[in-house]
């Protein structure tokens, strides 16, 4: 939400605008959510850092081109380990498994936080955003 301070009108209306635009597109862009900052039990980052993000971006481009598959999860499609270029990386199988695992308890908390944030927009909040949260919560159950 880095753009929010620069938005010249209500952010609920802003979101609705983009939902309306997206509904008119024959081939809407794919959207990806990435958390580069996940840590292991010892507080060490699981992913080696920003210099290696192109590896995940390459997977995204391959997905868009239909050349690689994905694993279904409650929050969407995730990379399969064999589809990520890990050559030369010091990412162990346990770290990779953790990166590609969806923890329902953590995601339920994340959804609660999102819902609290979105509640600030009142009646102008597009219902589609809350519907997406409800659908994700159902998939996590």
């Amino acid at each position: 939400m880095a753009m929010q301070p620069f938005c010249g009108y209500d952010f609920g209306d802003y979101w609705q605008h983009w939902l309306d635009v997206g509904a008119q597109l024959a081939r809407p862009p794919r959207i990806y959510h990435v958390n580069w900052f996940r840590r292991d039990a010892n507080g060490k980052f699981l992913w080696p850092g920003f210099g290696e993000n192109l590896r995940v971006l390459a997977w995204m481009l391959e997905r868009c081109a239909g050349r690689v598959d994905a694993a279904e999860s409650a929050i969407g499609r995730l990379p399969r380990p064999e589809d990520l270029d890990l050559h030369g990386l010091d990412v162990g199988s346990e770290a990779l498994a953790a990166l590609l695992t969806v923890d329902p308890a953590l995601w339920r908390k994340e959804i609660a936080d999102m819902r609290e944030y979105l509640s600030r927009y009142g009646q102008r909040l597009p219902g589609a955003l809350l519907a997406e949260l409800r659908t994700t919560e159902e998939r996590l159950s």
Side-chain angles (χ1 to χ4, degrees), residues 46-105:
L46 294 169
W47 188 250
F50 289 116
E52 303 302 341
N53 293 354
L54 285 176
R55 296 167 187 265
V56 178
L57 295 173
W59 174 79
M60 292 175 186
L61 292 171
E62 292 293 301
R63 279 286 299 149
C64 290
R67 290 190 285 262
V68 295
D69 207 353
E72 296 290 331
S73 80
I75 61 167
R77 294 174 185 95
L78 301 173
R80 299 179 310 170
E82 63 268 24
D83 293 327
L84 288 171
D85 175 10
L86 302 174
H87 181 77
L89 280 186
D90 186 22
V91 175
S93 59
E94 287 182 24
L96 186 59
L99 282 165
L100 300 176
T101 297
V102 174
D103 182 330

Side-chain angles (χ1 to χ4, degrees), residues 21-41:
V21 167
Q24 295 174 21
L25 298 176
R27 291 182 48 208
R30 295 187 183 181
I31 298 172
Y32 292 89
H33 170 88
V34 179
N35 181 353
W36 304 115
F37 304 107
R38 291 188 58 189
R39 296 176 186 253
D40 65 15

